[in-house]
Amino acid sequence: GNVLSCCSISQSLSSQSHGHYTKSECCQSMSENKYPLTSKPTGLCLIINNENFQDGTNRRGTEKDAGSLATVVSWLGFQVLMCMDKTASDMAQVTKSTPLSVLPQHGDAFVCCVLSHGAEKVVLGVDRKPLPISDITWAFNKEHCPALLGKPKMFFIQACQGHRLQTGLVMDDHPLECDAIDLGRPKVEDGLRVVSIPGEADILVAVATVEKFQVVRHRENGSWFIQSLCEQLREGCPRGEDIMLILRRVIDDVNKKEVLLTNGVSMKQTPEVKIWTLRHGLVFSPSSSWEYKTRVANVSSAH
């Protein structure tokens, strides 16, 4: 199949002023100012899917998100690397080891999707230890991954970023759950670096919610954010829409969703684009031959 495992990565690496324009002029300008996506595969999509945690809990519905993402990005010509149930140190190692090196070609773009629990500015490993989102993006910047210099790098984070608003969300008789974990106030000795995500060129970071709030995940149907992202990519890419327009639709779509809890609280969610430093238009084209259709492999690391 075309899904690589994290095991194959470790084995491989161990061995190595405003003007006025007409509509046609605008369209032509946008077309000429797009990132070139001509490589085969288009690039690598790294999906880190944390479902089964070491304390015995699990994030039901996340396998739906992982499968939907793998299907859509492979349809867009990406090679998919699926990593299941990773600790915080595992996630750091996967990103720092630059999985791109296992591919014969680096490709013209890179996508990273992290599906896990989270807190403000961090995502959690299955050991419930935090990894700053900034550490993930840093691993693919021009200093650590020069092969991606000048190429678009997209990060999609499905994880809570706090505890606000969604009071009483997790109920025994309700199919919705949240991805928030209370880490308490970080101490100096914890060694946790909660810092702002660095802004560099050609990076897009989209998170399922604004800071300090929780996110919604259905136990069977997956999360609002990832399912909307996949749907809007399926609809917008064949029409030649730019990723900026697609993400606007995702934010609007998720904003319209609402759940009325039994305690009368109305629960909503607002995704956020944390970083947008793309210098050109970004338009993905479906693979006409479905050449990179993938099967999701449930690869778990040994603990």
Side-chain angles (χ1 to χ4, degrees):
N2 291 90
V3 168
L4 302 176
S5 72
C6 286
C7 295
S8 66
I9 279 185
S10 58
Q11 292 168 358
S12 175
L13 291 178
S14 63
S15 64
Q16 56 166 36
S17 73
H18 300 288
H20 299 280
Y21 302 92
T22 65
K23 182 177 180 180
S24 61
E25 288 173 334
C26 285
C27 292
Q28 182 179 3
S29 176
M30 288 182 64
S31 176
E32 294 174 347
N33 195 32
K34 294 190 300 185
Y35 286 101
L37 301 178
T38 58
S39 64
K40 294 187 181 297
T42 303
L44 177 70
C45 175
L46 169 65
I47 301 177
I48 299 177
N49 181 26
N50 287 342
E51 178 177 3
N52 303 295
F53 284 68
Q54 293 178 355
D55 59 4
T57 61
N58 58 66
R59 298 176 57 252
R60 286 175 289 181
T62 190
E63 71 283 353
K64 176 76 171 180
D65 285 345
S68 296
L69 283 168
T71 299
V72 170
V73 297
S74 60
W75 171 61
L76 295 176
F78 283 83
Q79 169 74 68
V80 177
L81 169 64
M82 182 71 69
C83 295
M84 293 287 297
D85 298 339
K86 297 299 177 185
T87 64
S89 61
D90 285 341
M91 292 192 293
Q93 184 61 38
V94 166
T95 55
K96 289 178 182 177
S97 296
T98 314
L100 294 159
S101 62
V102 305
L103 292 178
Q105 290 180 300
H106 293 292
D108 289 332
F110 173 74
V111 178
C112 177
C113 307
V114 181
L115 318 175
S116 190
H117 287 308
E120 192 169 349
K121 295 187 175 70
V122 303
V123 291
L124 301 189
V126 293
D127 53 357
R128 292 187 180 266
K129 292 183 178 179
L131 177 68
I133 296 173
S134 59
D135 281 14
I136 299 174
T137 61
W138 271 331
F140 299 96
N141 66 13
K142 61 184 179 182
E143 177 183 351
H144 298 102
C145 192
L148 288 176
L149 180 63
K151 299 177 181 180
K153 297 162 282 288
M154 293 144 287
F155 301 84
F156 300 103
I157 310 296
Q158 167 61 34
C160 285
Q161 293 295 288
H163 288 268
R164 287 189 179 177
L165 191 63
Q166 274 64 286
T167 305
L169 172 58
V170 183
M171 298 179 291
D172 292 338
D173 59 346
H174 207 289
L176 297 178
E177 298 179 353
C178 66
D179 282 325
I181 296 295
D182 187 4
L183 294 179
R185 185 175 296 278
K187 301 176 182 178
V188 175
E189 58 265 31
D190 288 339
L192 174 61
R193 293 182 290 116
V194 179
V195 296
S196 298
I197 300 174
E200 290 204 16
D202 310 301
I203 289 179
L204 183 160
V205 179
V207 185
T209 182
V210 294
E211 284 187 7
K212 303 184 184 302
F213 286 83
Q214 297 182 13
V215 297
V216 178
R217 171 175 36 82
H218 193 281
R219 294 173 186 171
E220 297 180 358
N221 301 329
S223 66
W224 284 357
F225 175 60
I226 296 298
Q227 292 302 314
S228 178
L229 174 63
C230 292
E231 178 183 359
Q232 296 303 324
L233 285 170
R234 284 192 297 264
E235 293 182 3
C237 290
R239 295 194 292 253
E241 293 179 353
D242 186 271
I243 190 66
M244 179 171 66
L245 177 56
I246 290 174
L247 283 177
R248 280 180 186 158
R249 289 190 172 137
V250 171
I251 294 173
D252 182 58
D253 179 53
V254 174
N255 254 303
K256 291 176 179 177
K257 298 182 186 296
E258 187 173 9
V259 172
L260 184 62
L261 304 180
T262 55
N263 60 5
V265 175
S266 176
M267 185 186 67
K268 297 179 70 68
Q269 180 180 323
T270 303
E272 180 182 18
V273 177
K274 304 282 292 182
I275 291 182
W276 187 290
T277 61
L278 298 182
R279 296 174 297 117
H280 309 296
L282 183 55
V283 178
F284 294 108
S285 301
S287 176
S288 58
S289 62
W290 198 254
E291 184 179 356
Y292 301 100
K293 186 175 182 180
T294 64
R295 297 188 302 275
V296 178
N298 295 322
V299 180
S300 299
S301 60
H303 301 298

